[in-house]
Amino acid sequence: MTMEQLTANGTRELLGPEELQRTLWRLSRELQERHPDGEAVLCGIVTRGAFLTARLLQLIHSQGGTGWAGVTLDVGPYRDDGPRTAPSQTTPPFPLPPAVAESVRDRVVVLVDDVLFHGRTGRAALAALGDLGRPRAVELLVVVDRGHRELPLRATYVGRNLPTSEGERVLVRLSECDEQDAVLLRSSEQEQP
């Protein structure tokens, strides 16, 4: 059970560092149960999806999983919903390899992202994958599914389902790029991060 905490600026902390780590541990186990031979490749969507992919791979390897690979995918050029915000200055944990098409072609690709909302990032990721090669299958892993889908996308693996209103924002914070591990809920009237 999650203990929600109110931070100084009125933002609610839904998951702290330990709860986020437990959620990632559970997701790593689910991945291994579904793909026991490690035939899937984790494809982290820049920025936080890339860091989540690195963490998931570390957990999978620490649990004895072998054969798992990870790549980074920047879907910015494929977005259809206006200008993309600047990515974090922190370098993702592994660069986009030149042979990324070989990494995804004829393999099960698990797209990894922090929050599933309208589904536009997922649509952009599918378009980007289509240009790289044809995966055998595509699955989606998200830390938080907050609802409000505008496109017919559904995550295969979900850390937490968090019903929200349109005016709220769910922020997944990772120490690699945000200096903290947390899942936060903020109303639209509050200051942006």
Side-chain angles (χ1 to χ4, degrees):
M1 185 176 295
T2 303
M3 286 289 285
E4 293 184 15
Q5 298 176 9
L6 197 60
T7 62
N9 66 358
T11 300
R12 290 188 328 188
E13 182 180 273
L14 303 176
L15 296 178
E18 297 83 16
E19 293 163 315
L20 181 57
Q21 182 64 20
R22 278 194 302 271
T23 299
L24 294 177
W25 187 90
R26 181 179 50 79
L27 289 169
S28 69
R29 295 300 305 160
E30 287 180 33
L31 285 165
Q32 291 179 84
E33 288 170 10
R34 188 164 180 142
H35 304 287
D37 298 330
E39 75 275 10
V41 60
L42 300 183
C43 188
I45 298 172
V46 171
T47 295
R48 285 172 188 80
F51 292 113
L52 289 166
T53 294
R55 286 191 187 190
L56 288 165
L57 286 171
Q58 183 179 28
L59 286 167
I60 288 169
H61 293 145
S62 74
Q63 296 163 0
T66 59
W68 287 81
V71 296
T72 301
L73 184 65
D74 187 349
V75 301
Y78 295 89
R79 293 195 65 98
D80 66 354
D81 55 354
R84 183 170 176 256
T85 58
S88 167
Q89 297 301 315
T90 308
T91 305
F94 27 76
L96 183 67
V100 71
E102 294 305 316
S103 299
V104 301
R105 190 173 291 125
D106 294 325
R107 295 196 60 192
V108 174
V109 174
V110 180
L111 295 170
V112 179
D113 203 8
D114 55 352
V115 179
L116 178 57
F117 186 27
H118 292 123
R120 299 204 175 278
T121 301
R123 188 217 52 85
L126 290 172
L129 281 176
D131 281 354
L132 293 173
R134 187 170 192 271
R136 182 167 29 126
V138 179
E139 299 174 348
L140 177 60
L141 179 148
V142 294
V143 174
V144 175
D145 183 344
R146 61 171 291 193
H148 304 286
R149 212 81 69 245
E150 293 177 357
L151 298 169
L153 293 173
R154 182 176 64 88
T156 312
Y157 312 92
V158 177
R160 295 288 170 104
N161 285 295
L162 296 174
T164 61
S165 71
E166 283 278 344
E168 293 175 312
R169 290 190 62 203
V170 174
L171 308 166
V172 174
R173 296 294 181 225
L174 301 173
S175 58
E176 296 90 340
C177 55
D178 302 306
E179 299 179 8
Q180 69 172 349
D181 281 344
V183 175
L184 308 173
L185 182 65
R186 179 177 292 167
S187 68
S188 61
E189 303 85 50
Q190 294 168 329
E191 283 184 30
Q192 299 303 314

